[in-house]
Amino acid sequence: MKLLPLAKGTRFRAVLACLFLLFACYYFFVYSSVTNTTIRTSGSYVAFESAEDLYKAADLVVSGFTTQSFEQRKKTVTTFLTTNAIQDFYTTTEFRTEHVLKGKLASGTTIQVGEPVSYHQSLTGQSKITREDYSELKKSSNYLLFLKKNSEGLYFILNAEFGKYNTDHTDADDEKYAPKQKFREQMIQDKTYAPLKLDR
């Protein structure tokens, strides 16, 4: 039996369908995928001499947790119009407070916290981008945060990694960051942080 050639219109639709399928596969399996790559950038931060200095510089000092996974949080990346290079980036995390050690805020309030980490989109997928080795708050882990409020009312973690301390030993990334452990030891000796039981 002899097969009839496809009509021009049918061939065109078949080519379009193939192109659409290829694009869909690329978008979902490559472009939208999260790679294992982490881009580390440097930042300009004030160097604090002690945990007391860090406390004094903060607008708000609280402990609590987030119920959001990193994927659920709002990511913001801004770029320069002319070069498309990254200008700024951060992630907005919903953080439920349990203890308020400094600042006018009721315990149990949920606040928006800015973290110096996000996703950077490229043709090969999304890579995590962070400042000064900062690692994001882990879902359901408890933290002590030192926060500074910006002009838009968003509380940013002060001094990147030096502004957050895991208090229930469930975040290995936080506890292995050696440079800030001196501050943690000072907090253990300070009665201000006694309700958090940092020495447990």
Side-chain angles (χ1 to χ4, degrees), residues 11-29:
R11 286 199 301 266
F12 180 71
R13 286 192 294 272
V15 169
L16 279 181
C18 287
L19 289 174
F20 178 78
L21 182 61
L22 287 172
F23 176 78
C25 288
Y26 162 73
Y27 181 82
F28 287 108
F29 296 108

Side-chain angles (χ1 to χ4, degrees), residues 78-88:
T78 58
T79 57
F80 292 102
L81 290 176
T82 52
T83 62
N84 206 37
I86 294 174
Q87 181 180 21
D88 192 20

Side-chain angles (χ1 to χ4, degrees), residues 107-163:
S107 297
T109 302
T110 297
I111 59 174
Q112 303 296 312
V113 171
E115 299 186 71
V117 60
S118 189
Y119 279 142
H120 171 59
Q121 182 68 62
S122 69
L123 293 176
T124 57
Q126 299 180 74
S127 300
K128 189 175 288 183
I129 182 168
T130 185
R131 283 199 180 94
E132 303 295 340
D133 291 320
Y134 178 88
S135 61
E136 71 276 6
L137 300 173
K138 305 299 187 292
K139 179 182 177 180
S140 300
S141 291
N142 283 76
Y143 294 92
L144 167 65
L145 301 184
F146 295 81
L147 304 169
K148 197 77 173 174
K149 195 173 187 178
N150 71 0
S151 58
E152 298 175 0
L154 182 63
Y155 286 102
F156 272 88
I157 293 179
L158 187 60
N159 226 24
E161 193 64 28
F162 278 87

Side-chain angles (χ1 to χ4, degrees), residues 56-88:
K56 288 177 180 177
D59 293 329
L60 191 65
V61 180
V62 296
S63 71
F65 60 94
T66 180
T67 59
Q68 294 179 305
S69 67
F70 186 65
E71 290 71 27
Q72 292 174 316
R73 303 171 201 175
K74 180 184 175 185
K75 317 289 189 307
T76 301
V77 177
T78 58
T79 57
F80 292 102
L81 290 176
T82 52
T83 62
N84 206 37
I86 294 174
Q87 181 180 21
D88 192 20

